[in-house]
């Protein structure tokens, strides 16, 4: 695959990613995120170009891309919603939210709404059981969701005005924008908003109040 | 304890109560093998890095009384002093763990053994019987996949049978350097696969079929052809190249159904290439010659009886003004010896040459006087390997694997002098020196870092540059480096040893040396041998009037060879109809490799003996030569292969050689290239139009495509774009193929030598070193 699918600016950025590592093949994962930031998903062009860049067989790059569910091999929405359906979130309402959104969006797992704005998948634990049930959008946290709040999110997202995450940055960024962050290019928003919420710190504050520290 | 550690690198441990001492670093599963204790396993393979993927080999381990909290995979744990291992034989925990793993592995396995190629020789089937529960508790629906998936034209994948041991993917990555198959997806969907657009076109892909411990990978050609218990297996040797692979030939009702790599740690380890594995149908092809033929007066071939054909052949040879023998490079040592003795005694001449291919007089001197001494072991131990006019992945694939192994395991330094940077050169991470055929002498000067641990491997193609064989031999001698001469064909080293060449008698004895002749006369019980150095291939084609051809294809020699032969009386001994039988007056059928006993010598000179695998009425060349000699009343007394072998054993090796045979090359020849011209360069790809690959469509499907290779600058200057059809022409003939940009010098154009649409030897005056013009097709 030639470099024709990528601008020289994009190629420079890929070279920056590769330069971070003593062995170039280590760059395969951020590069896959970077390809997602360009096309919205991992395209064949992207896999072939990464293989060429890193001197890996395309089969090897494809193996990595297919192993991790965060890499998408077909387009997802501008807002990619993940509903945790592991045990705790599921019983706290995750299953109900998932099935409600499925109807609302009109698609199955990993499917995209007809307007291309939102897509849906059920995800495994995102380490936020204290905020169950949890919804992730473009890997930002939406805590303590209900069927109503989730459906409201989808409606607003479709009009281009998604509500802000309950933790993390003040404004939700798009799938592509966040993919670029995952590729290792900071958007400067890492310290925006709260990172550890009340529920996570509850035990700590209890302990402090009990005078046992 | 501390004594042991300071005095030895051995480790002593107990397995099932028995003490065993093994070298440090040995895996528990290997140590158990040493005691004869078999732990069941799928992913473990002694030549692949440990993976611990299948978990079937779980055992209970404690070290100095401290037990691991749960059973451990014995294929990934190295032994330690004080270790106590309990396998399924003495530990109920290990036994239960293994049975549990087996039950899990079988949950999604289709249990379709009765229709599976592997059924009857399947590690999964066998170990499910020996180390599994009789019954599964699973009552759900098994996972299914679309089947089979053709991951190449040769290899088929049935994913539901796979136990995800990763033997195939590890082989491809670690041994072949072709990581085209990988484990994709995850969890319950994990599966072996290729990248959709890139099939598993590795020259070594067949090994994955052989080491697959279940029936997930099968060969397209053998699929559904036989049950293993109906096959008769014979150890054999590969007849394709000079690598010398040990093989196994599996036959059912007189027909070869498959061939597998044999196990010889000093040669091919447990691997072979796809050509050796999958190119064998030629011996049962429709164009096999089954009876003698004589050409009648109207020029038509008619069937003849053996006595008539022999008498006709004898008459032709006895009435010849100048009779000679030309041999192909595929004869066994015994057959080559037969030709050699036949020429000297029955034809009373030294006019014999086994080089029915490109050749030179310098090469003949090199073969007679240089003493190549390199071995596979020397590659294992080398500090530097230099490849000259030799592309091992295409021309001797097991030599390639051996070099690649040293590159992978210990970063062996490799230098390649070749016209273009091939995929093989890239895989070897070699220092690449680009040099066109005819201009390698300058490149050799750039090679440094040679010591007495270095190995220089030179290919048959070196003869195409005058002075190259001489210079390389002198270079090796001056540095004390080991030298290996690697011809392409399996029979060449044997033919040389048998004296099937004009300047040598058996055992590398010079024709011109009286003492050497006496040695031979003594063994043969005769008083006199011809003393004049014999003609070479080209001289025979020019001057001899009656020629005995033994397995010769005129299209391997030159573009004019066939017409030269058609003006002579020809006796052709061959297995199939071809260019030699087209011009023959008498045709005598001979046995193919699977039908006869014999010995090849690999490039190291190591004997590779084999016995016939199928019953046949066809006889080895040496037997027929002996009958023909009898008919001529000039007997050579070699009625059987065994008789020939016994006689060969009576010759010692002749170590003496002259030192002044070297030829100095010119190196400065200026071809005066015009802007649209380039120097033609080529070599034969492993999979191509070679006649022993005829009819193997599945194999041909993985051959590398015919291309015309130029470097980027040259292509731009000529206004040519990668992928477009371009044409090279010379001598008023041309060939065309898609352009590929390759790493090379600007004045070089590279084309495969014998691929579809590019059969250079029979087309151009020379397949390398000539000026050709390049243009859009």
């Amino acid at each position: 695959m030639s470099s024709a699918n990528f601008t020289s600016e994009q190629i420079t950025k890929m070279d920056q990613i590769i330069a971070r590592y003593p062995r170039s093949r280590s760059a395969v994962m951020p590069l896959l995120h970077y390809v997602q930031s360009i096309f919205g998903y991992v395209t064949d062009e992207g896999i072939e170009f990464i293989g060429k860049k890193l001197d890996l067989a395309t089969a090897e790059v494809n193996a990595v891309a297919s192993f991790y569910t965060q890499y998408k091999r077909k387009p997802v929405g501008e807002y990619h919603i993940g509903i945790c359906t592991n045990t705790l979130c599921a019983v706290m309402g995750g299953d109900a939210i998932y099935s409600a959104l499925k109807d609302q969006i009109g698609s199955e797992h990993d499917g995209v709404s007809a307007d291309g704005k939102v897509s849906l998948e059920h995800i495994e634990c995102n380490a936020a059981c204290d905020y169950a049930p949890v919804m992730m959008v473009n890997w930002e946290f939406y805590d303590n969701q209900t069927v109503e709040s989730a459906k409201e999110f989808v409606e607003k997202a479709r009009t281009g005005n998604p509500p802000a995450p309950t933790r993390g940055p003040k404004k939700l960024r798009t799938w592509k924008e966040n993919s670029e962050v995952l590729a290792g290019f900071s958007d400067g928003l890492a310290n925006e908003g709260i990172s550890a919420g009340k529920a996570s710190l509850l035990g700590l504050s209890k302990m402090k109040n009990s005078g046992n520290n | 304890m501390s004594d042991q550690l300071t005095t030895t690198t051995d480790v002593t441990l107990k397995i099932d109560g028995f003490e065993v001492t093994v070298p440090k670093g040995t895996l528990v599963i290997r140590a158990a093998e040493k005691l004869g204790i078999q732990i069941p396993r799928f992913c473990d393979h002694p030549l692949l890095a440990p993976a611990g993927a299948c978990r079937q080999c779980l055992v209970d381990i404690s070290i100095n009384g401290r037990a691991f909290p749960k059973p451990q995979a014995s294929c990934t744990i190295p032994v330690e002093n004080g270790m106590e291992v309990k396998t399924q034989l003495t530990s109920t925990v290990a036994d239960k763990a293994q049975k549990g793993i087996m039950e899990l592995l079988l949950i999604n396995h289709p249990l379709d053994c009765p229709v599976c190629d592997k059924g009857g020789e399947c590690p999964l089937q066998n170990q499910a019987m020996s180390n599994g529960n009789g019954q599964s508790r699973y009552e759900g629906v098994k996972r299914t996949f679309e089947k089979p998936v053709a991951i190449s034209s040769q290899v088929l994948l049935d994913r539901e049978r796979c136990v995800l041991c990763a033997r195939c993917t590890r082989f491809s990555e670690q041994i072949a350097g072709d990581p085209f198959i990988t484990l994709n997806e995850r969890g319950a969907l994990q599966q072996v696969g290729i990248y959709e657009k890139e099939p598993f076109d590795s020259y070594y892909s067949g090994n994955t079929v052989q080491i697959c411990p279940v029936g997930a990978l099968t060969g397209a050609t053998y699929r559904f052809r036989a049950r293993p218990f109906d096959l008769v297996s014979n150890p054999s040797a590969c007849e394709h190249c000079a690598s010398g692979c040990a093989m196994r030939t599996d036959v059912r009702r007189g027909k070869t159904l498959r061939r597998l790599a044999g196990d010889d740690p000093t040669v091919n380890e447990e691997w072979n290439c796809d050509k050796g594995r999958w190119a064998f149908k030629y011996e049962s092809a429709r164009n096999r010659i089954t009876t003698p033929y004589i050409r009648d007066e109207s020029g038509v071939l008619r069937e003849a009886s053996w006595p008539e054909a022999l008498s006709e052949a004898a008459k032709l040879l006895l009435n010849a003004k100048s009779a000679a023998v030309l041999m192909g490079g595929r004869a066994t040592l015994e057959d080559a010896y037969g030709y050699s003795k036949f020429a000297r005694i029955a034809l009373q001449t030294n006019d014999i040459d086994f080089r029915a291919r490109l050749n030179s007089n310098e090469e003949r001197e090199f073969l007679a006087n240089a003493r190549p001494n390199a071995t596979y072991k020397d590659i294992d131990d080398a500090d530097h390997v230099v490849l000259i006019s030799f592309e091992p992945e295409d021309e001797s694939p097991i030599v390639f694997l051996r070099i690649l192994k040293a590159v992978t395991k210990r970063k062996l330094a490799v230098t390649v002098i070749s016209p273009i940077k091939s995929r093989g050169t890239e895989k070897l991470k070699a220092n690449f020196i680009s040099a066109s055929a005819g201009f390698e002498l300058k490149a050799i000067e750039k090679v440094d870092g040679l010591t007495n641990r270095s190995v220089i491997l030179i290919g048959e193609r070196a003869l195409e540059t005058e002075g190259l064989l001489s210079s390389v031999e002198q270079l090796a001698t001056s540095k004390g480096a080991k030298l290996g001469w690697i011809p392409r064909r399996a029979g060449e080293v044997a033919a040389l040893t048998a004296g099937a060449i004009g300047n040598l008698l058996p055992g590398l004895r010079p024709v011109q040396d009286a003492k050497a002749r006496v040695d031979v006369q003594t063994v043969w019980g005769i008083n006199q041998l011809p003393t004049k150095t014999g003609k070479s291939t080209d001289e025979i084609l020019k001057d001899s009037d009656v020629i005995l051809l033994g397995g010769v294809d005129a299209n391997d020699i030159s573009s004019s060879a066939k017409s030269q032969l058609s003006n002579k009386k020809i006796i052709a001994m061959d297995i199939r109809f071809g260019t030699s039988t087209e011009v023959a007056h008498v045709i005598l059928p001979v046995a193919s490799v699977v039908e006869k006993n014999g010995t090849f010598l690999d490039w190291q000179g190591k004997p590779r003996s084999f016995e016939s695998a199928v019953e046949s009425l066809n006889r080895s060349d040496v037997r027929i030569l002996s009958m023909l000699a009898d008919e001529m009343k000039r007997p050579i007394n070699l009625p059987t292969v065994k008789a020939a072998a016994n006689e060969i054993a009576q010759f010692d090796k002749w170590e003496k050689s002259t030192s002044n045979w070297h030829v100095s090359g010119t190196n400065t020849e200026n071809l005066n290239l015009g802007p649209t011209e380039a120097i033609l360069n080529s070599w034969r790809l492993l999979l191509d139009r070679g006649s022993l690959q005829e009819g193997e469509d599945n194999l041909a499907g993985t051959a590398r495509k015919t291309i015309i290779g130029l470097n980027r600058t040259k292509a731009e200057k000529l206004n040519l774009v990668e992928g477009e059809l371009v044409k090279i022409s010379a001598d008023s003939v041309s060939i065309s193929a898609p352009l590929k940009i390759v790493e090379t010098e600007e004045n070089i154009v590279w084309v495969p030598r014998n691929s579809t649409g590019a059969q250079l030897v029979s087309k151009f005056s020379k397949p390398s070193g000539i000026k050709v013009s390049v243009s859009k097709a």
Side-chain angles (χ1 to χ4, degrees):
Chain A
M1 186 45 55
S2 75
S3 55
N5 299 286
F6 300 91
T7 65
S8 62
E9 193 191 341
Q10 288 163 347
I11 293 171
T12 311
K13 281 197 151 179
M14 292 194 198
D15 290 334
Q16 285 169 8
I17 294 173
I18 296 166
R20 290 180 204 146
Y21 300 94
R23 293 208 296 164
S24 69
R25 61 186 292 148
S26 308
V28 65
M29 295 182 63
L31 283 178
L32 285 166
H33 280 301
Y34 187 67
V35 166
Q36 291 202 135
S37 81
I38 299 170
F39 302 106
Y41 67 106
V42 178
T43 56
D44 285 359
E45 292 78 14
I47 285 186
E48 288 155 25
F49 191 65
I50 291 172
K52 216 170 163 187
K53 273 266 176 204
L54 304 183
D55 201 16
L56 293 172
T58 45
E60 292 176 296
V61 181
N62 184 49
V64 176
S66 71
F67 182 82
Y68 296 99
T69 52
Q70 277 189 311
Y71 299 124
K72 302 300 177 190
R73 288 290 273 122
K74 53 187 186 194
V76 294
E78 200 171 319
Y79 301 102
H80 181 66
I81 303 170
I83 306 295
C84 178
T85 53
N86 278 174
T87 316
L88 188 64
C89 281
V91 299
M92 296 288 282
D95 280 349
I97 295 171
Y98 181 71
S99 87
L101 292 201
K102 229 166 61 175
D103 294 342
Q104 190 184 11
I105 292 171
S107 80
E108 290 295 318
H109 172 70
D110 251 359
V112 194
S113 63
D115 57 9
K117 280 280 180 192
V118 287
S119 51
L120 177 69
E121 71 172 321
H122 56 78
I123 54 173
E124 311 298 323
C125 185
N126 265 250
C129 308
D130 37 2
Y131 303 99
V134 154
M135 173 171 87
M136 309 291 293
V137 183
N138 301 342
W139 313 118
E140 301 291 0
F141 282 107
Y142 287 77
D143 301 331
N144 302 315
Q145 291 298 293
T146 60
V147 170
E148 291 70 34
S149 67
K151 284 173 87 166
E152 188 192 339
F153 175 88
V154 171
E155 259 162 49
K156 290 193 167 163
R158 280 178 150 172
T159 64
N161 293 306
T166 51
R167 280 180 286 155
K170 291 191 189 102
K171 188 176 178 313
L172 177 63
R173 311 243 299 159
T174 65
W175 168 259
K176 287 184 184 175
E177 284 166 344
N178 269 359
S179 291
E180 192 169 342
V181 176
L182 290 171
F185 296 105
S186 172
D187 57 3
L189 304 178
N191 292 318
E192 230 179 70
I194 39 167
S195 46
K198 226 184 204 164
S200 305
L201 301 170
L202 201 59
L204 185 65
S205 66
K206 280 234 153 98
M207 189 185 68
K208 280 181 174 162
N209 291 340
S210 71
N212 281 344
N213 49 336
Chain B
M1 188 72 199
S2 60
D3 281 2
Q4 266 182 320
L5 285 177
T6 49
T7 55
T8 174
T9 53
D10 284 349
V11 170
T12 300
L13 71 158
K14 265 186 173 176
I15 302 177
D16 289 342
F18 297 100
E19 203 160 82
V20 63
T21 301
V22 290
K24 192 167 183 267
T26 303
L27 297 167
V28 170
I29 199 168
R30 295 278 109 69
E33 282 169 6
K34 211 180 159 199
L35 282 172
I37 295 169
Q38 182 176 338
I39 301 168
R41 82 289 300 270
F42 297 110
C43 70
D44 172 70
H45 191 288
L47 299 180
L48 302 176
C54 75
R55 319 306 293 175
Q56 188 57 55
C57 64
L58 295 177
V59 293
D60 235 7
I61 300 178
S62 62
I63 301 174
N64 294 326
R66 281 173 63 100
F68 277 90
K70 55 182 183 178
Q72 300 296 308
S74 58
C75 72
T76 55
I77 300 217
V79 293
E80 303 228 16
N81 281 309
M83 190 181 254
E84 191 156 339
V85 178
K86 288 186 170 164
T87 73
Q88 72 278 7
L89 300 176
T90 55
S91 158
T92 49
V93 172
D95 187 50
K96 189 173 178 218
Q98 289 177 8
K99 288 192 163 133
I101 293 290
M102 183 67 77
E103 194 174 358
L104 278 170
L105 289 177
L106 291 176
I107 275 184
N108 277 317
H109 188 84
L111 297 174
D112 59 344
C113 313
V115 297
C116 177
D117 280 350
K118 204 82 176 184
E121 56 176 12
C122 176
L124 180 59
Q125 195 180 30
N126 294 345
Q127 294 180 137
M129 305 296 271
S130 62
N131 300 79
N133 288 322
Q135 287 285 322
S136 172
R137 287 167 290 175
Y138 182 68
E139 289 173 348
V141 177
K142 289 184 187 248
R143 180 194 56 201
T144 54
F145 285 108
E146 182 199 327
K147 66 181 278 172
V149 175
I151 56 175
S152 75
S153 63
Q154 308 172 137
V155 182
L156 304 177
L157 168 65
D158 293 285
R159 288 167 291 178
E160 75 286 354
R161 290 179 184 154
C162 178
V163 296
L164 301 171
C165 71
R167 272 190 181 184
C168 56
T169 55
R170 278 179 293 152
F171 169 84
S172 303
E173 188 202 340
Q174 294 166 13
I175 307 292
D178 295 327
F180 305 145
I181 52 171
T182 45
L183 285 172
N184 299 336
E185 308 284 344
R186 69 192 296 178
L189 284 179
Q190 193 174 40
Q191 54 187 278
V192 172
I194 51 171
Y195 180 66
E196 251 174 284
K197 298 183 197 168
E198 200 174 59
F200 185 31
D201 289 349
S202 166
Y203 283 163
Y204 306 96
S205 67
N207 294 293
T208 63
V209 174
Q210 186 169 346
I211 61 175
C212 180
V214 300
L217 293 172
T218 50
T221 306
Y222 175 73
R223 194 173 164 93
F224 301 141
R225 285 308 181 90
R227 308 302 299 169
F229 29 82
D230 291 335
L231 299 172
V232 178
S233 300
N234 295 277
S236 57
C238 188
E239 72 274 28
H240 285 284
C241 82
S243 285
C245 289
M247 303 267 286
R248 191 182 109 189
T249 300
D250 283 357
V251 171
R252 190 186 61 180
R253 287 185 228 128
K255 204 169 160 190
T256 306
L257 284 190
R258 68 170 174 183
R259 302 185 80 189
L260 303 170
D263 181 2
D264 187 337
T266 63
V267 179
N268 56 315
E269 303 193 297
E270 295 179 31
W271 318 123
N272 74 345
C273 74
D274 288 354
K275 180 155 80 173
R277 182 179 303 266
W278 282 319
F280 55 79
K281 280 205 208 102
Y282 68 89
E283 39 102 352
S284 52
R286 278 168 200 273
N287 61 354
R288 271 303 291 272
I289 309 166
T290 52
T291 181
Y293 285 85
I294 293 175
R295 197 172 293 278
D296 66 20
E297 263 139 45
S298 60
V300 178
L301 284 177
R302 64 169 173 82
E303 291 185 7
S305 68
W306 273 101
E308 188 190 11
L310 287 172
S311 129
E312 181 70 18
K315 221 183 301 165
L316 285 175
L317 290 166
L318 287 169
N319 293 333
K321 278 205 281 297
S322 164
V325 177
L326 266 186
M327 270 172 66
R330 304 202 173 279
T332 60
L333 176 63
E334 295 82 357
D335 286 344
Y337 180 75
Y339 284 106
S340 174
K341 191 173 178 186
F342 183 87
R344 272 62 189 234
I345 292 180
L347 305 183
Q348 297 171 350
T349 178
N350 287 314
D351 294 349
I352 176 170
D353 206 329
F354 68 85
R355 300 170 303 158
R357 51 167 172 81
L358 298 187
N359 61 86
S360 74
N361 280 331
E362 181 193 3
E363 184 197 30
R364 194 162 77 164
E365 291 302 312
F366 169 86
L367 295 175
N369 295 300
R371 291 286 180 268
N373 53 356
T375 63
Y376 281 113
K377 179 84 172 49
D378 293 322
I379 296 175
D380 293 342
D381 300 339
D383 60 356
H384 186 185
V385 168
V386 182
L387 309 176
I388 302 167
S389 299
F390 178 51
E391 285 286 336
E393 197 182 23
D394 285 312
E395 297 175 311
S396 209
I398 296 305
V399 175
F400 178 81
L401 284 193
R402 216 40 180 264
I403 302 171
L404 181 61
K405 181 180 166 188
V407 170
T408 312
K409 291 226 156 136
R410 56 181 185 88
K411 295 193 166 64
L412 168 67
V414 179
T415 300
V416 177
I417 297 176
S418 186
I420 66 167
K421 189 168 189 180
S422 65
R423 212 183 109 62
T425 302
E426 276 169 18
K427 289 206 285 190
L428 295 176
K429 299 182 177 69
N431 169 29
F432 168 62
I433 304 175
S434 179
S436 170
F439 294 86
E440 290 100 334
L441 294 175
K442 272 239 165 63
I444 288 175
E445 290 164 15
K446 294 185 202 156
V447 177
D448 52 14
L450 286 175
T451 70
N452 60 5
R453 277 179 59 216
S454 305
V455 174
I456 302 177
L457 299 178
I458 188 161
E460 184 184 303
R461 284 182 288 119
L463 70 95
E464 292 161 36
T465 298
E466 192 181 28
L468 184 55
L469 284 162
S470 303
S471 308
V472 172
E473 198 265 352
Q474 283 166 325
L475 177 68
T477 308
S478 71
K479 304 284 182 183
K482 294 273 184 352
L483 177 67
W485 176 72
I486 308 193
R488 241 174 36 81
R489 289 185 171 147
E492 295 223 341
V493 175
L496 175 66
T497 310
I501 192 164
N503 58 346
L504 290 180
L505 295 166
L508 303 179
R509 285 174 172 71
V511 162
Q512 292 301 341
D513 189 306
K515 193 176 164 300
R517 287 199 305 273
V518 169
D519 281 357
V520 178
Q521 284 163 204
T522 311
V523 175
W524 287 353
I526 54 173
N527 299 325
Q528 210 180 349
L529 275 170
T531 54
K532 192 171 161 232
T533 298
K535 292 174 188 153
S536 67
T537 300
D538 296 341
E539 291 159 347
I540 290 171
L541 284 173
K542 220 160 83 211
D543 302 333
S544 299
D545 62 335
V546 179
I547 305 179
L548 175 69
L549 298 181
V552 171
D553 181 352
N555 285 338
D556 282 339
I557 305 175
S558 67
S559 53
S560 56
K562 200 174 150 191
S563 70
Q564 285 175 300
L565 287 172
S566 63
N567 298 325
K568 304 172 189 300
K569 296 285 184 201
I570 302 295
I571 296 137
M573 294 173 55
D574 220 318
I575 61 170
R576 292 184 302 166
F577 291 99
T579 52
S580 68
T581 57
E582 280 170 37
V583 295
H585 291 76
V586 180
I587 301 173
L588 303 172
V590 294
S592 68
V593 169
V594 290
E595 296 162 345
K596 64 186 179 187
N597 303 346
T599 307
F600 290 122
L601 302 182
D602 69 12
W603 64 275
Q604 316 169 93
K606 186 180 166 91
R608 316 300 294 160
S609 293
F610 58 92
E611 301 210 339
S612 66
V614 302
E615 292 281 322
S616 164
L617 289 175
N618 293 323
R619 294 290 167 257
S620 206
D621 304 41
V622 65
R623 163 80 178 139
I624 289 159
L625 289 166
S626 198
M627 293 196 298
L628 185 54
D630 288 343
E631 183 72 26
M632 294 167 74
K633 305 274 184 299
R634 295 171 180 176
I636 59 171
N637 300 321
L638 298 171
T640 60
V641 170
K642 186 93 189 111
N646 288 342
E647 203 171 291
I648 294 166
Q650 295 177 39
F651 288 98
D652 316 324
K653 211 163 179 185
W654 180 278
E655 283 303 339
K656 268 182 287 181
S657 72
T658 56
S659 53
N660 55 352
W661 59 273
H662 299 95
V663 173
S664 56
T666 47
N667 206 17
T668 51
E669 190 187 348
N670 190 348
L671 284 174
N672 279 325
L673 288 179
T676 63
E677 289 174 332
I679 308 170
L680 179 61
N681 277 273
S682 67
W683 65 75
R684 283 178 174 85
L685 299 179
L686 180 74
L687 304 177
D688 63 2
R689 304 288 295 174
S691 59
L692 297 196
Q693 298 164 61
E694 276 168 23
E696 303 287 1
D697 297 338
N698 295 328
L699 181 65
T702 65
R704 293 177 187 167
K705 303 283 173 280
T706 303
I707 55 112
I708 289 176
L710 288 175
N711 85 354
R712 189 168 297 282
T713 318
K714 183 82 174 183
E716 277 165 11
K717 279 187 184 166
L718 295 173
N719 233 340
L720 300 170
V721 191
E722 181 148 40
E724 81 172 305
L725 209 58
V726 296
K727 183 173 77 172
I728 58 164
S729 10
D731 316 331
S732 73
V733 288
S734 67
I735 61 164
S736 40
L739 174 70
K740 186 164 185 234
I741 303 296
V742 293
E743 191 173 329
T744 182
E745 289 179 331
E746 200 181 319
N747 58 8
I748 289 176
V749 59
W750 186 89
V751 188
R753 186 169 285 190
N754 191 33
S755 293
T756 304
Q759 291 174 285
L760 306 190
V761 175
S762 57
K763 199 129 194 180
F764 293 111
S765 60
K766 280 163 77 183
S768 74
I770 60 166
K771 198 155 71 168
V772 293
S773 69
V774 186
S775 63
K776 273 195 187 22

